[in-house]
Amino acid sequence: MTTFLQKTADYIFDNYQNDLENVCIILPNRRASLYLKKFISERAQKNIWSPQVFAVEDFIAAISDKVIVDNVSLLFDLYNIHLELEKEEARSFDEFMSMGEMMLHDFNEIDLYLVNAESLFSFLSETKAISLWNLDGKELTPFQKKYLKFYNSLYTYYQLLNERLLARNQAYQGHLYRFVAENIAEKVQNISWNHLVFAGFNALTTSEETIIKYLTKEEIAKTLWDADEYYLLNPQQEAGKFLRKYSELWLDANFDWIGNDFKTDAKEINIIGVPMKIGQVKYAGNLLKDIYNEKGNLEHTALVLNDENLLIPMLHSIPEESKAFNVTMGLPFRHAVLYNLVDSILLMHENRIRLANPDRGQNGFYFKDISKVLSHPYLMSEFDFEGIIKSIGTSNRIFYDSSELIKRIQSSIPVDDSVISNVFLIWETPKDAITHLKGLIDRLHQRFKDEENRFLEDEYLYHFAKLLFQLNSLPEIHQSFITVKTFRKIFTRLAVLTNIPFYGEPLEGLQIMGMLETRTLDFENIVMLSVNEGILPASRSFNSFVPLDIKRQFGLPDYADKDAIFAYHFYRLLQRAKKVSILYNTEADEFSGGDMSRFIYQIVNELPKYNPNIIINEQLLNITATDSLQNKPIRIFKHENIMKRLNELAMKGFSASGLNTFVNCSLQFYFKNVAGLEELEETEETIAANTLGSTIHAVLAELYEPFVTKIICAEYINSMLPQVDGLTDKYFKELYKDGDISFGINLLTVKMAKLFIANLLRNEATQIDKISKDNALLTINMLEQKLECVLDCFINDDLPFVKLKGYVDRIDSTSEFIRIIDYKTGNTSQNELNLTEPDLLQSEPKFAKSMQLLIYALLFMKEHPENEKPLKAGIISLRNQTKGFMGVNYEGNDTLTVQNINAFEEILSALIHKIFDKELPFEQTENEENCLYCAFKEVCGR
Ligand code: SF4
């Protein structure tokens, strides 16, 4: 295979071998220049003066005498103009940023395509005015007037920005291209080479077209194009859209090189649908291994990543055998570990200002932000912040004062190490942010200095230092627009524009690159990832003030043009390749809906007909990682250690909650009770249901405590009412730890708890009044009582019995019966307590409350065999007190007899035997509704 750059090298050598130092070759990008120089030197086979090779933007900058300004400085320039034009109605810099970026994008495009900006913006503002024209003569609203004023002012922004740049001899890309194109006859004087060769271009902007046309007409430049008849000669093929135009328009263009590789060469194209990004990465790793095994190296092989997010995982999947590889695309700084740390710090400072509300006690740093910063791997690997993170995570405090936090942090770091604690100082100005972040860089640099393989960290730190330098170098006036709150936005913007270059073996081994970097390069083997609709071609996003129809009218590129550019890159890369693997993601994600690119449909339908030697194989890998987890049942067999643990549980005593967990799902029981997995204790930003329940139980226990074993009357109950508020506050403060209950939803929850308790007392007083009229006196027998018993439930010789235990909220009695009461803060319906088929207790989680009450009744009966009174076991729902006491109804009987309790004991015994049955592994419940509130969903893949 002769590549395009080899052909170019031959052309240069053949035509200018005696004048090579006076040749300048201009390519679409910088990437290919090394390859071209290598091919020229191979052709020369001796020491020669190398010709100059430029990327087009560098060539235009070189002949312009102007200095390119970065986008952030441009944005500040534009904001200055905004302040002057809008005066007191001006937006803050933060609000202006996205609008300003869109303006800069439009100005750049208008200039690149040499559009008359005045005509375009006046046309645009007129169309806007027409769209708001009220035929009935009604006056425009203030908002509509403002809208029109903005569109009327766009040209003024453009003009003022260009004037300022001109005065400083500066330019943005479009401005520079226009300047050179409009003055090419004069700028040609700056060209010191005798021969220019423009090679490998496709879609030229109007300014590039003007420049190249002039230079070719003046016979200073030649053009070399790379095309194949397949897409060039078919007017329907979008890949050839621009080259067809140039070959018609530009009659002197050198189109001698039109190839016919698609027609003549054999190719193997494998199209593979792979679920998820990571699936593609793993599969691509295997493909590279296959190529390596077949060829013995990965020379002439390109891995093309259409989604830059795959770069880092892909680097971990490159076969170890492939020692040499080169990454051309660069790692976006926002994917760096350091970016994550800095962003977390800036977010913490932004939220401190954004969430501040001193009236509500919201002052200081937000607890989640602090934990995120402290638990960053860079800090965690050096300091022991675990204690602080845990206490922040469980104290229920939402905001932390800077000085208090610093004191706590200082207790975990060396005395003279102030850099880390400075991160938690109050940063008043962006200067503070820059100073403390610079300190952090130095500190991290010291930290990594002695580590092996620290190259990546060094690169991160170097590029971050450059970003800070850029921000620090902004003129004073520009810095004054930034606040600590907006600092993060600007930092993010800069980070998005920053790529960390990789230095590898540029001419050796595997080449990893994005689609744009493939321009002018050819490879025998290609593995291409993320060839999905929405990625290749990219989805249509609109970030312009100029509507599409006006763009077309003025000759600016539209979606069809952008798609045609992608199509050219795709087909050009394929035209000389021998073996191509095209992978696409079959799962929808943030970029695409899981559809293969229409380019794949095109090649599948067209290429084998065009050339029968092109073999296309299609394959769909349809096992998703989620499927594999979901479909793979989890079964835990009861081997010796597990049986031992079960025996320990049985000796300690089973509780109602443990047994109900087993009924809900035996695997959940295993995770929670056998393996001892604990749910993470987390900060309750608002009072959680269990804290509410515990508080109410504690208040009721304290209120009723003085009356245990006494006959209770309405008067006693009424005497409790004044204590409700104080006790509720006291227990919330105790149980909600450092959480604030003085405002918002927490205040409402506290009020609700007080209301629940007061209502319960009032209802009780009324009930007591009623029953005392019938001479039935109510005695409080026990409160918060722990009950235990032993069940004769022979499991094996080691375990002839098991223990059962429980805490009963309240037991009271009248002369006729004994009541076992459980208070619930949630809703309960009588249906959950009606047991027409008691055997269902073993399998239906909906009877969990019945199970709990029956266990209490059984415990009571076992502990008090002397009792002869009938037993009622039920619930008082604090949320729905109109229903009063709701008792278990056992086979139609709302009073539990000894026979009922004995029958229940047998059911319970059968259930416990199931827990110990070695033939029954712990496994996932069949009913997925049971998983709704399970804390182990992620562990088990449900
Ligand atoms: S998620 Fe469902 S199946 Fe898995 S342990 Fe929990 S309840 Fe059982």
Side-chain angles (χ1 to χ4, degrees):
M1 172 184 81
T2 307
T3 66
F4 171 72
L5 288 180
Q6 279 170 327
K7 281 168 71 177
T8 306
D10 287 344
Y11 174 89
I12 302 289
F13 198 79
D14 291 344
N15 287 279
Y16 312 110
Q17 59 176 299
N18 298 323
D19 196 20
L20 281 175
E21 67 267 38
N22 285 317
V23 177
C24 175
I25 306 147
I26 300 116
L27 300 172
N29 58 355
R30 294 188 184 111
R31 173 77 190 106
S33 61
L34 265 180
Y35 279 89
L36 184 59
K37 284 182 182 169
K38 179 188 160 212
F39 293 139
I40 293 173
S41 77
E42 278 173 5
R43 175 67 204 275
Q45 292 185 340
K46 59 176 184 183
N47 288 346
I48 51 162
W49 282 108
S50 170
Q52 181 76 50
V53 186
F54 271 130
V56 64
E57 70 250 43
D58 298 330
F59 169 75
I60 295 182
I63 61 169
S64 73
D65 313 321
K66 280 187 183 287
V67 180
I68 287 266
V69 197
D70 65 82
N71 273 348
V72 175
S73 305
L74 279 173
L75 201 58
F76 283 114
D77 273 329
L78 206 58
Y79 184 60
N80 257 328
I81 296 170
H82 175 73
L83 290 177
E84 285 165 29
L85 292 179
E86 297 298 328
K87 301 200 166 62
E88 60 281 355
E89 284 183 31
R91 296 165 184 235
S92 69
F93 182 68
D94 188 24
E95 292 165 330
F96 177 79
M97 262 178 86
S98 42
M99 176 176 137
E101 282 178 356
M102 215 197 272
M103 278 193 215
L104 288 177
H105 173 267
D106 282 338
F107 295 169
N108 193 46
E109 201 168 55
I110 285 167
D111 284 342
L112 281 174
Y113 285 83
L114 304 183
V115 171
N116 182 322
E118 189 173 8
S119 312
L120 184 142
F121 285 126
S122 105
F123 191 88
L124 177 62
S125 68
E126 276 164 30
T127 56
K128 294 291 171 190
I130 291 169
S131 70
L132 293 180
W133 186 21
N134 288 325
L135 289 174
D136 56 6
K138 218 163 76 190
E139 222 202 314
L140 295 178
T141 64
F143 177 78
Q144 288 172 321
K145 283 182 187 162
K146 215 169 165 185
Y147 177 79
L148 281 188
K149 186 180 162 210
F150 169 72
Y151 276 95
N152 286 337
S153 64
L154 275 173
Y155 180 63
T156 314
Y157 278 99
Y158 171 85
Q159 222 182 2
L160 289 176
L161 181 67
N162 274 278
E163 276 171 14
R164 280 167 206 204
L165 292 175
L166 211 59
R168 301 199 299 249
N169 202 32
Q170 291 177 331
Y172 50 89
Q173 190 202 21
H175 178 107
L176 187 82
Y177 277 40
R178 183 195 279 270
F179 172 74
V180 173
E182 288 178 349
N183 299 286
I184 185 64
E186 176 202 326
K187 292 295 152 197
V188 96
Q189 312 302 325
N190 294 343
I191 297 174
S192 55
W193 304 275
N194 295 340
H195 320 281
L196 300 179
V197 178
F198 288 86
F201 286 83
N202 171 46
L204 297 168
T205 61
T206 316
S207 51
E208 288 168 331
E209 208 178 304
T210 309
I211 295 166
I212 300 173
K213 236 179 185 171
Y214 177 88
L215 295 172
T216 49
K217 212 164 153 220
E218 293 297 311
E219 298 188 347
I220 302 169
K222 289 275 180 207
T223 52
L224 303 175
W225 309 87
D226 190 11
D228 191 280
E229 280 185 8
Y230 165 66
Y231 53 77
L232 187 72
L233 302 184
N234 176 359
Q236 305 299 322
Q237 236 299 355
E238 58 191 334
K241 177 175 178 174
F242 295 101
L243 294 184
R244 275 194 296 279
K245 179 180 133 190
Y246 303 139
S247 67
E248 284 160 19
L249 269 179
W250 216 329
L251 292 175
D252 61 341
N254 184 351
F255 274 94
D256 298 344
W257 286 10
I258 299 169
N260 207 4
D261 299 308
F262 275 116
K263 188 80 187 169
T264 55
D265 288 2
K267 286 184 204 300
E268 180 188 328
I269 301 179
N270 298 307
I271 295 162
I272 308 124
V274 190
M276 300 197 295
K277 291 178 181 177
I278 204 71
Q280 292 185 78
V281 165
K282 293 283 164 210
Y283 197 83
N286 289 339
L287 289 171
L288 293 173
K289 207 169 189 164
D290 291 346
I291 298 172
Y292 184 89
N293 290 340
E294 190 189 330
K295 311 258 177 202
N297 59 49
L298 289 176
E299 299 296 317
H300 313 297
T301 303
L303 179 69
V304 182
L305 304 179
N306 290 301
D307 173 1
E308 62 182 22
N309 293 316
L310 297 189
L311 177 59
I312 294 291
M314 194 64 240
L315 292 179
H316 292 287
S317 293
I318 292 172
E320 280 177 14
E321 303 86 328
S322 167
K323 289 188 190 74
F325 66 87
N326 177 48
V327 183
T328 308
M329 57 198 293
L331 173 71
F333 181 63
R334 65 184 193 284
H335 292 175
V337 189
L338 178 66
Y339 172 79
N340 193 273
L341 173 63
V342 177
D343 188 57
S344 305
I345 293 171
L346 294 176
L347 177 68
M348 181 177 77
H349 284 275
E350 183 187 316
N351 280 345
R352 183 188 68 77
I353 299 165
R354 198 173 56 82
L355 302 174
N357 190 339
D359 295 346
R360 289 177 154 200
Q362 290 182 198
N363 231 342
F365 295 115
Y366 182 54
F367 77 99
K368 282 189 181 167
D369 295 337
I370 302 167
S371 299
K372 198 173 169 203
V373 172
L374 291 179
S375 54
H376 189 277
Y378 279 180
L379 302 188
M380 277 296 266
S381 57
E382 192 175 354
F383 306 108
D384 182 11
F385 289 141
E386 230 167 79
I388 304 177
I389 295 169
K390 198 163 178 214
S391 92
I392 286 174
T394 54
S395 74
N396 295 332
R397 237 176 96 181
I398 312 298
F399 293 94
Y400 285 81
D401 180 64
S402 161
S403 50
E404 181 201 338
L405 195 60
I406 288 174
K407 258 188 219 151
R408 290 172 76 170
I409 286 165
Q410 278 168 341
S411 65
S412 302
I413 57 177
V415 187
D416 55 347
D417 199 343
S418 60
V419 171
I420 304 301
S421 48
N422 286 349
V423 163
F424 297 92
L425 280 173
I426 299 290
W427 295 353
E428 305 284 356
T429 64
K431 276 268 182 225
D432 290 344
I434 293 173
T435 308
H436 296 309
L437 288 173
K438 267 161 79 185
L440 185 68
I441 293 180
D442 293 341
R443 178 68 183 72
L444 290 172
H445 181 66
Q446 288 298 320
R447 145 116 167 63
F448 293 126
K449 160 165 117 287
D450 301 324
E451 283 187 14
E452 278 180 32
N453 299 326
R454 60 172 207 282
F455 309 110
L456 206 52
E457 269 71 29
D458 276 352
E459 282 297 321
Y460 293 160
L461 290 171
Y462 168 71
H463 281 86
F464 179 45
K466 259 176 65 179
L467 288 188
L468 284 183
F469 178 77
Q470 204 177 340
L471 283 168
N472 206 25
S473 321
L474 286 171
E476 206 64 35
I477 174 77
H478 289 171
Q479 288 195 18
S480 69
F481 301 148
I482 311 173
T483 61
V484 173
K485 198 172 151 203
T486 55
F487 188 84
R488 178 168 168 251
K489 225 176 179 180
I490 296 160
F491 169 74
T492 309
R493 192 68 215 120
L494 282 176
V496 166
L497 301 172
T498 305
N499 265 2
I500 299 172
F502 282 86
Y503 300 101
E505 292 294 340
L507 301 173
E508 254 183 62
L510 175 69
Q511 301 296 314
I512 303 173
M513 52 184 63
M515 184 55 99
L516 278 184
E517 282 92 27
T518 65
R519 283 176 292 179
T520 69
L521 301 178
D522 294 292
F523 300 91
E524 269 178 28
N525 304 305
I526 293 164
V527 178
M528 210 188 291
L529 274 70
S530 307
V531 188
N532 281 82
E533 196 63 23
I535 299 178
L536 191 76
S539 58
R540 299 177 172 191
S541 60
F542 201 79
N543 56 345
S544 170
F545 287 110
V546 187
L548 213 54
D549 47 352
I550 299 184
K551 280 192 168 203
R552 286 196 192 111
Q553 178 83 12
F554 281 82
L556 290 172
D558 62 8
Y559 295 130
D561 294 329
K562 287 179 181 161
D563 287 0
I565 294 172
F566 276 109
Y568 174 75
H569 296 324
F570 178 75
Y571 282 99
R572 202 209 62 78
L573 188 60
L574 258 54
Q575 80 196 38
R576 295 185 186 88
K578 299 274 176 261
K579 187 168 180 177
V580 182
S581 296
I582 298 177
L583 276 62
Y584 65 93
N585 185 359
T586 53
E587 304 265 303
D589 61 17
E590 71 272 31
F591 296 120
S592 95
D595 301 317
M596 64 164 106
S597 162
R598 66 191 151 85
F599 295 161
I600 300 182
Y601 285 109
Q602 276 174 357
I603 57 172
V604 169
N605 285 308
E606 292 177 12
L607 288 184
K609 288 181 207 150
Y610 189 72
N611 175 1
N613 290 324
I614 297 180
I615 309 296
I616 296 193
N617 305 307
E618 288 185 78
Q619 198 185 347
L620 195 62
L621 305 184
N622 56 8
I623 302 167
T624 67
T626 347
D627 279 348
S628 61
L629 275 178
Q630 277 179 353
N631 295 338
K632 200 171 165 195
I634 302 180
R635 286 210 176 91
I636 310 287
F637 292 95
K638 294 169 187 167
H639 56 68
E640 206 181 316
N641 282 346
I642 292 187
M643 291 308 289
K644 222 165 120 191
R645 172 78 187 123
L646 287 173
N647 284 2
E648 283 167 18
L649 280 178
M651 307 291 269
K652 269 192 179 165
F654 285 118
S655 67
S657 119
L659 294 169
N660 274 329
T661 305
F662 182 77
V663 173
N664 191 58
C665 169
S666 66
L667 184 66
Q668 187 184 15
F669 174 81
Y670 167 78
F671 285 146
K672 194 169 166 183
N673 299 71
V674 185
L677 299 190
E678 283 179 17
E679 291 174 34
L680 207 62
E681 200 188 338
E682 282 183 338
T683 288
E684 299 169 27
E685 286 198 57
T686 54
I687 296 167
N690 56 348
T691 307
L692 170 69
S694 306
T695 304
I696 291 178
H697 278 77
V699 174
L700 288 173
E702 187 163 337
L703 287 173
Y704 279 93
E705 184 58 39
F707 306 103
V708 174
T709 69
K710 292 188 182 144
I711 294 170
I712 196 153
C713 62
E715 200 185 321
Y716 291 166
I717 306 279
N718 288 330
S719 73
M720 297 176 193
L721 279 167
Q723 303 172 55
V724 171
D725 286 5
L727 282 177
T728 313
D729 288 340
K730 174 183 132 183
Y731 280 108
F732 264 123
K733 277 184 192 140
E734 198 175 307
L735 296 168
Y736 192 47
K737 299 177 191 160
D738 293 342
D740 193 337
I741 56 169
S742 63
F743 66 91
I745 197 152
N746 285 349
L747 183 64
L748 291 178
T749 308
V750 173
K751 287 195 170 167
M752 183 179 77
K754 290 174 181 170
L755 200 68
F756 280 174
I757 299 166
N759 283 347
L760 181 120
L761 295 177
R762 285 190 196 104
N763 283 340
E764 179 119 71
T766 314
Q767 289 302 318
I768 288 174
D769 263 348
K770 236 192 238 167
I771 58 170
S772 58
K773 280 185 192 130
D774 302 332
N775 293 325
L777 302 173
L778 184 79
T779 305
I780 303 288
N781 301 98
M782 299 171 194
L783 290 174
E784 301 287 328
Q785 182 66 40
K786 183 179 183 189
L787 298 174
E788 280 182 353
C789 77
V790 165
L791 286 185
D792 294 332
C793 155
F794 183 86
I795 306 289
N796 53 46
D797 288 340
D798 293 339
L799 198 66
F801 57 84
V802 298
K803 253 170 91 177
L804 199 62
K805 63 182 180 187
Y807 278 90
V808 183
D809 288 344
R810 164 171 157 175
I811 299 177
D812 61 22
S813 61
T814 66
S815 51
E816 290 168 25
F817 52 76
I818 287 184
R819 288 192 311 176
I820 292 173
I821 298 172
D822 192 57
Y823 297 122
K824 295 269 184 235
T825 41
N827 273 327
T828 300
S829 90
Q830 184 61 47
N831 282 343
E832 297 171 76
L833 304 174
N834 289 344
L835 282 174
T836 44
E837 290 178 70
D839 272 339
L840 291 179
L841 284 166
Q842 289 189 56
S843 55
E844 281 293 339
K846 77 168 188 181
F847 293 119
K849 286 173 188 150
S850 296
M851 170 84 95
Q852 183 189 9
L853 291 166
L854 286 165
I855 286 175
Y856 293 164
L858 175 63
L859 286 165
F860 181 80
M861 291 273 279
K862 293 263 183 189
E863 274 208 6
H864 298 276
E866 75 289 352
N867 172 53
E868 288 178 352
K869 282 185 192 170
L871 212 56
K872 286 176 186 281
I875 279 169
I876 292 178
S877 163
L878 285 123
R879 202 170 284 267
N880 193 355
Q881 294 188 27
T882 51
K883 292 195 176 159
F885 175 85
M886 290 184 279
V888 173
N889 188 307
Y890 200 99
E891 292 181 320
N893 192 357
D894 65 1
T895 305
L896 298 169
T897 62
V898 176
Q899 288 78 6
N900 295 150
I901 301 290
N902 288 342
F904 170 68
E905 188 176 352
E906 277 177 31
I907 292 169
L908 199 61
S909 177
L911 183 70
I912 292 171
H913 272 98
K914 278 191 198 168
I915 295 178
F916 284 88
D917 190 340
K918 285 187 173 172
E919 303 299 313
L920 296 177
F922 294 117
E923 58 190 350
Q924 289 153 307
T925 173
E926 284 172 10
N927 184 355
E928 292 202 17
E929 280 179 20
N930 297 357
C931 306
L932 205 61
Y933 302 107
C934 177
F936 308 108
K937 275 191 271 197
E938 282 187 28
V939 186
C940 102
R942 275 283 169 87

